[in-house]
Amino acid sequence: MEERKDDNISAMGTVAIGEAGKTGDWRSLRPVIDRKKCIPTVKNKPACFLCWLYCPEGVVKAGIEVEIDLEYCKGCGICAEECPPRAISMIREDKSHE
Amino acid sequence: MPENLFKLNAKEYILPGTRACQGCGLSLGYRYALKALRENTIVTLPACCLCVLHGIYPSTPVMIPCLNNSFASTAASAAGIVAGLQALNKTDTTVMAVAGDGGTFDMGIQALSGAAERGTDFIYLCYDNEGYMNTGTQRSSATPMGAVTTTTPILTKQQHKKDFIKIMDAHDLPYLATVSPSYPIDLYEKFVKAKKIKGTRYIHMYVPCPPGWGFATKDTIKTGKLAVETGVVVLFEIENGKFRFTGRSKTLAERGNRLPVINYLEKQGRFRKMNIEQLNQQQAWVDGKWQEYIRRAEA
Ligand SMILES: Cc1ncc(C[n+]2csc(CCOP(=O)(O)OP(=O)(O)O)c2C)c(N)n1
Ligand code: SF4
Ligand code: SF4
Ligand code: SF4
Ligand SMILES: [Mg+2]
């Protein structure tokens, strides 16, 4: 991590993404979306988005094509568990490919 | 629910890559609390999991200004911020003190009671993960009876959870509400409401905690929902003394179809040592509290 400077007289943190690093590294399971089952993609309009609603990390982008920021997704599996049509599968991360 | 979704503030106030555990109920609940309160909010908090989420100096993932204080002074520090803002004529800023159950039920009660009695114009959010979690799952007075913690490893906790909400209710607050991250819309709406009210507003957020309670990270939402379905957690608000069930608890109160508490307890590792006697006691305790709420709603 690059060193950050604080010009304040009292200790004051500044806002930064990845405060705990690239938390995608924590994952042992990766969420993979099956577009053929995902409701907004199928209906071609904003709908459902329960994965966006329930993601504790706020890394799901709600759109016609739902996207997950895998750089920071911690792999908790909540999105897959709560997805009504079960469009998300949790797939093992293959560490040997890193 | 989808229609309601579009009414939510789309902006996020927590940048990804925080220190909180996978599947943390607090991360989810706090995400919606900040969405509801928006900019022009100041947070003050003591040591706790939320303090960990707020990051290590000199970085923070949270885009809302936050002051770190000590356990005994959470609400007092909020009162100081409120007084400072008043002196500067910035009375439209929302001040929110946040602490865990340990920091509220055990260590912050005196300053909180004092601020509430004085009617300090702030929101106090207690997030209740039912233990001293960031220090390694020690028991608190919010831990339910029958739970294994690192300080109740053999016999489990022998005492029932302290009814802290009742203590806060005794302060005759303009607003008191319970929320759960498993019901983000209900949670969001209550924070929006609390923001508009003057005086001391108390919000109690139950936060399922996968490592502390012993359940899989994917089951955070389901665990929070089961707590409500069984009446272990009751969603309501009390506005100037008027009690009202909300959301799923309202439906359960109308239909009278609560599930037995075992449906909630059996899915969590922390209750693995509970015996049948404790189970019956727990059911009776939950039933008793539920009846109190029903009477309160009818009054
Ligand atoms: C005066 C004081 N005593 C003890 C501690 C150590 N400590 C830090 S966090 C914590 C647990 C707080 O529990 P809770 O308020 O429930 O928050 P949680 O960790 O569960 O989020 C303790 C005991 C401290 N920081 N200061
Ligand atoms: S919850 Fe499932 S169906 Fe709904 S938007 Fe997300 S991936 Fe698509
Ligand atoms: S696995 Fe967890 S962190 Fe990753 S996108 Fe799904 S809910 Fe969010
Ligand atoms: S210990 Fe529990 S409350 Fe604390 S960060 Fe982890 S999951 Fe969240
Ligand atoms: Mg706690």
Side-chain angles (χ1 to χ4, degrees):
Chain A
M1 221 204 297
E2 79 179 271
E3 204 171 312
R4 300 172 67 93
K5 205 164 154 277
D6 180 0
D7 293 323
N8 297 288
I9 48 166
S10 62
M12 188 160 102
T14 43
V15 178
I17 192 167
E19 191 277 324
K22 300 262 193 261
T23 48
D25 291 353
W26 298 9
R27 265 195 326 267
S28 51
L29 298 172
R30 171 208 303 256
V32 178
I33 307 172
D34 180 352
R35 307 275 172 208
K36 294 193 294 301
K37 286 193 197 160
C38 176
I39 296 170
T41 310
V42 171
K43 289 192 174 168
N44 195 29
K45 64 169 194 200
C48 184
F49 296 145
L50 290 190
C51 48
W52 171 85
L53 183 76
Y54 289 125
C55 173
E57 311 305 324
V59 295
V60 178
K61 210 165 114 212
I64 301 300
E65 293 243 315
V66 170
E67 276 168 46
I68 295 173
D69 182 353
L70 289 171
E71 213 164 20
Y72 293 107
C73 157
K74 293 175 184 168
C76 65
I78 289 177
C79 52
E81 189 67 19
E82 300 302 322
C83 170
R86 296 247 154 213
I88 304 179
S89 323
M90 298 303 290
I91 310 289
R92 269 201 100 73
E93 291 280 1
D94 192 346
K95 298 285 180 200
S96 62
H97 284 245
E98 273 173 13
Chain B
M1 192 188 268
E3 302 78 55
N4 290 345
L5 236 63
F6 302 115
K7 286 191 244 157
L8 296 170
N9 177 8
K11 193 169 168 195
E12 302 289 343
Y13 296 89
I14 308 168
L15 292 175
T18 71
R19 238 159 255 274
C21 310
Q22 292 150 305
C24 172
L26 168 63
S27 296
L28 182 58
Y30 194 51
R31 187 182 154 213
Y32 286 96
L34 294 186
K35 275 173 176 286
L37 296 178
R38 299 175 184 246
E39 292 79 7
N40 207 3
T41 299
I42 298 177
V43 168
T44 175
L45 81 165
C48 54
C49 286
L50 188 65
C51 179
V52 175
L53 184 152
H54 264 260
I56 295 178
Y57 174 79
S59 298
T60 174
V62 184
M63 290 188 253
I64 295 288
C66 166
L67 195 86
N68 288 98
N69 55 257
S70 67
F71 274 121
S73 68
T74 307
S77 86
I81 297 170
V82 170
L85 288 168
Q86 256 160 11
L88 295 170
N89 245 331
K90 291 185 178 171
T91 44
D92 59 340
T93 304
T94 305
V95 177
M96 177 164 75
V98 192
D101 50 292
T104 303
F105 287 48
D106 299 340
M107 296 180 277
I109 182 169
Q110 183 278 132
L112 171 56
S113 179
E117 188 269 333
R118 295 189 302 273
T120 298
D121 186 21
F122 79 127
I123 297 174
Y124 189 100
L125 165 63
C126 169
Y127 72 88
D128 184 4
N129 52 18
E130 304 193 315
Y132 290 72
M133 293 314 185
N134 93 88
T135 42
T137 324
Q138 292 84 13
R139 132 210 223 286
S140 79
S141 60
T143 305
M145 192 264 290
V148 169
T149 66
T150 51
T151 45
T152 55
I154 314 284
L155 297 177
T156 77
K157 191 186 169 198
Q158 299 294 295
Q159 303 79 7
H160 280 296
K161 183 185 180 88
K162 187 195 279 183
D163 192 347
F164 196 78
I165 296 167
K166 222 185 212 169
I167 297 177
M168 289 319 293
D169 188 26
H171 289 76
D172 293 328
L173 303 175
Y175 191 70
L176 185 157
T178 59
V179 296
S180 159
S182 296
Y183 302 90
I185 313 263
D186 177 81
L187 185 155
Y188 181 86
E189 284 170 352
K190 283 168 176 164
F191 274 91
V192 168
K193 194 173 209 175
K195 183 184 159 88
K196 294 184 193 144
I197 296 170
K198 288 269 168 214
T200 304
R201 295 87 91 193
Y202 178 79
I203 300 184
H204 199 96
M205 185 196 286
Y206 290 93
V207 292
C209 166
W213 297 8
F215 64 84
T217 58
K218 69 176 174 50
D219 292 329
T220 298
I221 309 300
K222 296 217 149 64
T223 303
K225 283 190 176 171
L226 267 175
V228 171
E229 293 292 339
T230 52
V232 168
V233 167
V234 184
L235 298 174
F236 62 83
E237 57 183 12
I238 304 174
E239 230 180 314
N240 294 315
K242 183 89 191 102
F243 179 101
R244 194 174 80 83
F245 286 108
T246 66
R248 185 65 194 152
S249 294
K250 188 165 174 241
T251 316
L252 290 169
E254 282 160 5
R255 300 205 186 135
N257 54 345
R258 263 183 312 135
L259 294 174
V261 293
I262 186 152
N263 293 33
Y264 168 72
L265 304 173
E266 70 183 0
K267 294 190 178 62
Q268 296 171 53
R270 63 176 169 159
F271 297 115
R272 65 188 175 275
K273 290 195 175 171
M274 228 176 162
N275 57 37
I276 192 81
E277 199 183 311
Q278 283 178 315
L279 173 66
N280 292 337
Q281 273 179 35
Q282 187 67 13
Q283 183 67 63
W285 189 80
V286 168
D287 290 348
K289 295 284 170 200
W290 181 259
Q291 288 314 323
E292 273 180 33
Y293 289 132
I294 297 275
R295 279 197 296 275
R296 191 75 201 273
E298 284 164 354

